[in-house]
Amino acid sequence: MSAAKNREEALAAMFSSTCVIPVLTIDRVEDAVPLARALVAGGVRVLEVTLRTPVAAEAAKAIMAEVPEAIIGIGTILNPDDLARAEKLGARFGISPGATPDLLKAAAGSNLPFAPGIATASELMMMLAHGFKLAKFFPAEQSGGIKALRALAGPFPQVRFCPTGGIGEANAGTWLGEPNVVAVGGSWLSPTSDIRSGNWTGITAMCQRTMKMLQSR
Ligand code: 3PG
């Protein structure tokens, strides 16, 4: 198997092992470890730490060091520098809201399993041209929802998706019912208010409820 195919399969296996990938925005580094522990305790192990705050890299490092059960990816990768940062941190995967030629080129030359973000057929074609077949569909609900995803599945049957954006407990199961959806992403399992107040047991309970609901589909 080629290196690119190996990377892609590793990513697909990580994503389908979980169904749900919380998108984490961590403002205070001291929240990182208890937040990751709360998610893992609720049965959610694959986590996307977004590069959206000044402490994001430090937060990801702390989780990798102290919560070994968690599988940490880096999200909000916007350019080749962010991709290099994710690799250097030891992320298990990278994920982006978009797919610029520069970023796709850098990701194709890197060993990091990577999911570009797409919302249109042209972006999908660009991603395929660089050898990627698993995409973040973003922003999923706002870009036409399941109807748009089904329409894209026509010309692109080889592509698998992780829809993200506007997904929550109420519609995650419906998205996961699509044959080309390997996992869904979203921020609903890590609400800012719960992180701020340290409501870790609430986050664990919400994850347990979501996982139970998704497993009983
Ligand atoms: C992301 O960056 O993936 C989105 O902000 C997550 O979207 P959501 O907040 O609607 O879940």
Side-chain angles (χ1 to χ4, degrees):
M1 210 188 275
S2 72
K5 195 149 172 51
N6 272 334
R7 269 196 324 255
E8 191 89 2
E9 286 313 313
L11 189 64
M14 268 186 273
F15 281 20
S16 35
S17 74
T18 183
C19 314
V20 175
I21 303 176
V23 175
L24 309 180
T25 300
I26 301 173
D27 288 307
R28 299 180 304 199
V29 73
E30 61 270 27
D31 292 332
V33 167
L35 171 61
R37 286 200 178 121
L39 293 161
V40 168
V44 178
R45 289 178 59 222
V46 181
L47 315 178
E48 173 189 337
V49 177
T50 60
L51 290 179
R52 290 184 202 176
T53 64
V55 304
E58 214 187 318
K61 254 195 227 164
I63 300 172
M64 287 177 206
E66 294 185 46
V67 193
E69 314 91 293
I71 296 175
I72 302 302
I74 295 293
T76 319
I77 291 182
L78 302 182
N79 52 50
D81 285 349
D82 290 343
L83 188 82
R85 249 174 113 194
E87 265 193 290
K88 200 160 160 229
L89 278 167
R92 300 279 293 279
F93 63 92
I95 191 159
S96 175
T100 66
D102 271 359
L103 180 56
L104 288 169
K105 196 168 161 224
S110 129
N111 288 323
L112 189 70
F114 179 72
I118 67 92
T120 67
S122 296
E123 289 158 356
L124 259 175
M125 285 156 68
M126 197 145 69
M127 153 191 137
L128 287 168
H130 286 82
F132 294 96
K133 292 205 189 80
L134 200 168
K136 168 169 171 159
F137 176 40
F138 178 78
E141 282 289 341
Q142 299 85 338
S143 306
I146 285 181
K147 278 190 182 164
L149 186 86
R150 284 188 185 151
L152 289 170
F156 304 106
Q158 72 277 48
V159 178
R160 291 173 287 185
F161 295 93
C162 176
T164 306
I167 298 180
E169 200 171 314
N171 58 356
T174 314
W175 279 99
L176 285 163
E178 293 298 303
N180 54 355
V181 169
V182 285
V184 294
S187 60
W188 88 95
L189 290 172
S190 54
T192 309
S193 55
D194 284 338
I195 299 177
R196 285 210 169 281
S197 64
N199 184 16
W200 313 126
T201 51
I203 288 177
T204 298
M206 189 163 40
C207 291
Q208 282 167 338
R209 199 174 58 225
T210 294
M211 294 314 269
K212 200 166 156 203
M213 184 261 295
L214 295 178
Q215 278 152 9
S216 66
R217 276 180 308 129

